[in-house]
Amino acid sequence: MLTPFHLAINVRDLGEARAFYCDVLGAEEGRSAPTWVDVSFFGHQRSLHIGPPLATVRTGHVGE
């Protein structure tokens, strides 16, 4: 039984990350804004936010 989870990560280039997850890995794109995109990754939500990778500061604001 799948227990879906949400994982948000920072990426340097949103277009490149979108292409990798959607075109290469086959993830399905969901909601998006100029600074982030959600993808369904094998039933789990992965949120890709523009920002320094591995940063621990709050960089994404959803629902603006």
Side-chain angles (χ1 to χ4, degrees):
M1 178 184 213
L2 182 66
T3 304
F5 67 87
H6 171 94
L7 177 65
I9 61 171
N10 288 347
V11 297
R12 282 189 278 270
D13 184 304
L14 195 56
E16 184 178 289
R18 177 185 269 135
F20 175 73
Y21 278 93
C22 296
D23 299 339
V24 176
L25 298 180
E28 184 178 330
E29 185 172 333
R31 299 181 313 150
S32 66
T35 60
W36 59 270
V37 63
D38 288 340
V39 297
S40 177
F41 189 65
F42 300 104
H44 305 287
Q45 184 182 44
R46 170 100 15 128
S47 293
L48 310 170
H49 295 261
I50 294 176
L54 304 177
T56 59
V57 297
R58 184 176 169 165
T59 58
H61 303 282
V62 177
E64 294 180 16

